[in-house]
Every structure is written in C-alpha cells, then in structure tokens.
Amino acid sequence: GFSQYLYEDENKDEESKKIYSHLMNESDRLTKLVNELLMLSRFDKASHELQTEKLNLSEVTAEAVRSLKSKAEAKEIDVEVQLQKEIFIDGNKILMTHAISNILENAIKYSNKKSSIKIEAFSKENEAVVKVTDHGIGIPKEEIASVQERFYRANNSNVASGSGLGLSICKEIVEKFEGQLMIESEVKIGTTVT
C-alpha cells in the first residue's frame, strides 16, 4: 500500500523510484514467504481429510498457464501447451493449481530470455501426469533431491529470488493426493518436473 504510493509519486527522482521499487519487491517477496509458511503450517496440522472434488487436471493446468502468461511474455518465453482433454483426478483445486503454478513459475524464473517451456497434461497407465520442461539453468544432479526439502536452494539458483519452499510445498501437495514429484535436470540444459 504505502510503498506503492511512494513509488507512484510523480515528483520523485529516478533514484527514489529505484529505492521504492526495491521496497515493493521486497514487500511482495516477504508476503509470498509468509503465505508459503502458512501453507506449510496447515499441512503440518492438517488431518488426513482435505476437501477434495473431481477435477479436470487439464483445466487446472490451463488456468495455471493463463495466470502466468504475462510473466512468460515479459521474458519473451514461448510456452507450448499440450493438454489431453478430460483427465480427471480427485483433488483440491486450490492446492493443485498452486502446485502446477509454482512449478511453471519456477520454469519461467530460471529459464533464459527468449527460450521455451513445454507444459503437458496427459494420462499414462491410469495415472494423471503434468509435465513441465524448461531450457533454463538446470539443477546439479547432486542437488535434485535436496531442492525438494524445505528452505533448500540449489547453489546456482541465485539468478532469481526465492525462499526455497516452493518445490517442497509442491511435493507435499502432490503426495497428499497419492502422487509423486519427479525431477530430471541437467545444468545449463534445463529441467523437467513431472
């Protein structure tokens, strides 16, 4: 609120605008961190009963893609979307959208400008699958298991800000609905999260 007001004040010089912009970015980052911590806290306290409903995973995936379209466009990243129609799961729409959005947002965040990302939703051997492939910085092989732990960030992740909670939250969401999070990656080549 207040930092936005300061940033938009037309009478400020460029140096002040940079400071206020940084203040707004840090405020947004801390808000996201608090929200992620609250989500983890709810998982830790949650009973085994989460509200679930029959979801079309392709629709949930398409919604996540739409919500991040502007971020991809800002980096001139082409997002290729391949969604099999009518892949139904029993899940929680808010949590599944969060997990897919987080994985896609990471793909955008850690991809190079003018690169591409592919997101797919399909069924394979009676399982619903969402697969996100980027051409970004990649994750060192020895750190792939660790990046799914709370607060862990890969050594090469300093190209973008983050809390180290995103993938651990995604993993917990997927596991709550009897799924699994799998990561394949090669440094300077890219990452696939399934």
Side-chain angles (χ1 to χ4, degrees), residues 7-152:
Y7 177 74
E8 292 174 351
D9 187 358
E10 295 173 12
N11 300 322
K12 298 293 179 191
D13 58 55
E14 284 305 309
E15 187 62 28
S16 294
K17 285 201 175 219
K18 285 181 186 176
I19 292 168
Y20 297 137
S21 175
H22 177 73
L23 178 64
M24 285 175 33
N25 289 338
E26 284 301 299
S27 176
D28 290 345
R29 185 185 67 78
L30 289 172
T31 299
K32 185 175 180 180
L33 175 62
V34 168
N35 288 335
E36 287 176 338
L37 288 170
L38 286 171
M39 183 172 284
L40 282 173
S41 175
R42 282 188 218 116
F43 272 133
D44 290 342
K45 293 179 182 177
S47 68
H48 296 292
E49 294 181 25
L50 286 171
Q51 288 186 329
T52 62
E53 59 185 300
K54 186 177 180 181
L55 300 175
N56 184 335
L57 194 58
S58 290
E59 288 177 5
V60 173
T61 303
E63 185 178 316
V65 171
R66 279 190 299 275
S67 72
L68 292 164
K69 183 179 180 185
S70 63
K71 285 188 179 190
E73 288 174 347
K75 288 184 75 174
E76 300 177 59
I77 294 173
D78 178 50
V79 180
E80 180 186 346
V81 182
Q82 292 184 352
L83 307 176
Q84 179 183 323
K85 292 184 179 182
E86 299 187 357
I87 305 167
F88 290 102
I89 63 166
D90 286 325
N92 180 292
K93 185 175 183 180
I94 293 170
L95 294 178
M96 293 307 295
T97 302
H98 179 84
I100 294 167
S101 295
N102 186 278
I103 292 166
L104 181 56
E105 186 173 18
N106 279 353
I108 294 167
K109 190 178 354 180
Y110 294 108
S111 285
N112 300 315
K113 278 190 163 195
K114 298 183 180 183
S115 62
S116 63
I117 293 170
K118 183 176 184 180
I119 184 164
E120 304 168 81
F122 56 92
S123 60
K124 182 179 179 182
E125 299 171 8
N126 284 336
E127 292 185 341
V129 178
V130 174
K131 183 176 182 179
V132 178
T133 303
D134 69 47
H135 301 283
I137 64 171
I139 303 166
K141 291 204 183 308
E142 64 275 8
E143 294 185 82
I144 289 176
S146 298
V147 295
Q148 298 177 57
E149 296 173 12
R150 293 180 184 185
F151 298 107
Y152 188 90

Side-chain angles (χ1 to χ4, degrees), residues 174-193:
V174 170
E175 289 176 352
K176 287 281 184 197
F177 300 105
E178 298 176 15
Q180 55 183 326
L181 188 73
M182 297 180 292
I183 301 174
E184 298 172 42
S185 190
E186 220 174 305
V187 174
K188 297 183 182 177
I189 302 291
T191 302
T192 298
V193 180

